[in-house]
Amino acid sequence: MAATSPAPAAPAAASAIADPGGTVAVAATKPGLERIGAEACGDCHGVQFDSWAGGAHAKRKPPLDCEHCHGPGSEYESKSVMKDPAKAKAAGLVMPDKAFCAKCHKSGVDDAFMKKAHEHEG
């Protein structure tokens, strides 16, 4: 009986994520905006904060937090501004586009991906 050699190992799957390292952040939409920190965002967006805190974005070094994707929150953090999407955007809120996400996510950044990004919103 002839000895059989082990089957060749399957090639490693290419990662769908390529972390460029360093800070990854949307550009602030106007001068003078300041970061308020993810914990401040979590005061009102608890479900989203918990989802972020348990995920890969929070574990990244440096972390990729709310304001890295949505811009510094100093001007749009108040409830009265956040309840009005037009006011929030005028105050600096950014809704990142596919191109921003594709800086790290190298495949599958489509409409379904963008919708799933905030599935935790309920």
Side-chain angles (χ1 to χ4, degrees), residues 14-74:
S15 175
I17 299 174
D19 190 336
T23 300
V24 177
V26 297
T29 59
K30 60 184 190 176
L33 298 176
E34 295 181 13
R35 291 177 52 84
I36 60 171
E39 292 78 15
C41 300
D43 288 344
C44 294
H45 301 282
V47 171
Q48 294 85 344
F49 179 86
D50 291 344
S51 176
W52 166 79
H57 289 136
K59 292 175 177 69
R60 182 182 183 273
K61 300 292 183 208
L64 180 62
D65 70 14
C66 313
E67 293 174 290
H68 287 111
C69 295
H70 295 289
S74 61

Side-chain angles (χ1 to χ4, degrees), residues 29-30 76 81 84-95:
T29 59
K30 60 184 190 176
Y76 67 79
V81 173
D84 183 331
K87 279 185 185 177
K89 287 178 184 174
L93 175 66
V94 175
M95 296 309 290

